[in-house]
Amino acid sequence: MEVVMIKNNRQLAVAREKLLALEASADEASDDMSKLTYMQLASDIRREIMDYESVKSGQIRVFAVSGLDDLGESVVRARLASGLTQKELAGQLDVSEQMVQKDESRSYESAGVARVADVIDALGYELIGTLRPKPGVLHLHERSTQNNILASSEHEHGSSPTAISTHPASALGVFGMVTPWSSLASRNHVVASIKSGYHAESGNEMTAIRVVGQSGDFG
């Protein structure tokens, strides 16, 4: 059973009925596995009911948007928290109530950016966020730098082809680890630290590289 976000009082009533049915099924379950499954589903629905009631009552008014996937649901929650009905929101947007219902039923997946922005404005909200690279995704200059490291490593030490994995280390840059495909414990492994920063005076981006081998620095 898929548990979805509750967006209106009709869905709230349906969720309450499902919760009662699941609780009854849990009580009547003949084995522990079935009982645990029913209890988990009941817990999920209970959480959605509590979330809806907290938003509707105005106890929760700020909604974190971690990506486009949850933007639509956050907009619906903002409408609930504002106290506006779908009909009232439609009046402010000068669109039909059916359009608002359709948008919310699909969590604004089919709505354009401009319409979502209009809805946010009508609700008296503002969207604050950050657009940044995903962890592990290299910029063009970083890929070029690491390619140079690979070429240098293979030329200097005759090592096997190497792989680069990255992970975020700070807001200023990334660190990469260069490891031979053949063995993580290979004697000729290389560790490269790459830091990208911003020079405040010149306004230029900086890249500092240090390559360390098993026997010491060689680059």
Side-chain angles (χ1 to χ4, degrees):
M1 179 189 299
E2 182 181 2
V3 180
V4 298
M5 173 189 169
I6 301 172
K7 300 175 182 178
N8 52 54
N9 288 332
R10 180 182 58 80
Q11 293 178 354
L12 175 64
V14 172
R16 284 174 172 165
E17 290 178 1
K18 288 181 179 179
L19 177 59
L20 291 175
L22 287 169
E23 289 175 338
S25 296
D27 291 337
E28 298 170 0
S30 58
D31 60 276
D32 291 340
M33 183 61 69
S34 296
K35 184 179 183 69
L36 182 61
T37 300
Y38 288 128
M39 290 176 63
Q40 182 60 57
L41 289 172
S43 177
D44 292 341
I45 292 180
R46 192 179 297 111
R47 189 181 304 111
E48 285 298 324
I49 291 175
M50 292 176 61
D51 178 71
Y52 176 82
E53 291 177 336
S54 297
V55 172
K56 190 77 182 292
S57 65
Q59 295 179 39
I60 302 177
R61 299 185 59 83
V62 177
F63 311 98
V65 179
S66 59
L68 292 177
D69 291 340
D70 58 13
L71 173 60
E73 291 191 353
S74 294
V75 172
V76 177
R77 286 187 169 96
R79 197 265 301 166
L80 294 171
S82 69
L84 288 178
T85 64
Q86 292 177 329
K87 183 176 181 178
E88 289 169 339
L89 176 58
Q92 291 199 25
L93 297 172
D94 196 23
V95 299
S96 67
E97 182 180 358
Q98 288 73 24
M99 176 172 286
V100 173
Q101 292 173 346
K102 180 179 178 181
D103 284 340
E104 290 195 355
S105 68
R106 300 179 179 178
S107 296
Y108 288 91
E109 290 182 356
S110 301
V113 175
R115 186 153 84 245
V116 173
D118 288 342
V119 173
I120 293 174
D121 287 341
L123 296 173
Y125 271 73
E126 59 181 351
L127 179 63
I128 302 174
T130 302
L131 183 66
R132 58 190 174 198
K134 292 181 179 179
V137 177
L138 302 182
H139 290 299
L140 181 61
H141 73 278
E142 291 169 338
R143 288 199 299 270
S144 176
T145 298
Q146 292 195 350
N147 286 338
N148 291 337
I149 293 174
L150 288 177
S152 174
S153 173
E154 294 178 11
H155 175 72
E156 296 283 342
H157 302 276
S159 63
S160 58
T162 56
I164 299 177
S165 61
T166 63
H167 58 87
S170 70
L172 293 179
V174 296
F175 294 88
M177 178 173 289
V178 183
T179 309
W181 287 113
S182 57
S183 172
L184 292 176
S186 176
R187 303 184 68 179
N188 60 4
H189 79 276
V190 182
V191 175
S193 295
I194 302 176
K195 289 185 178 180
S196 297
Y198 183 79
H199 196 287
E201 295 181 0
S202 66
N204 295 324
E205 192 173 40
M206 303 180 299
T207 300
I209 307 167
R210 187 168 183 242
V211 181
V212 181
Q214 187 174 8
S215 59
D217 294 357
F218 62 84

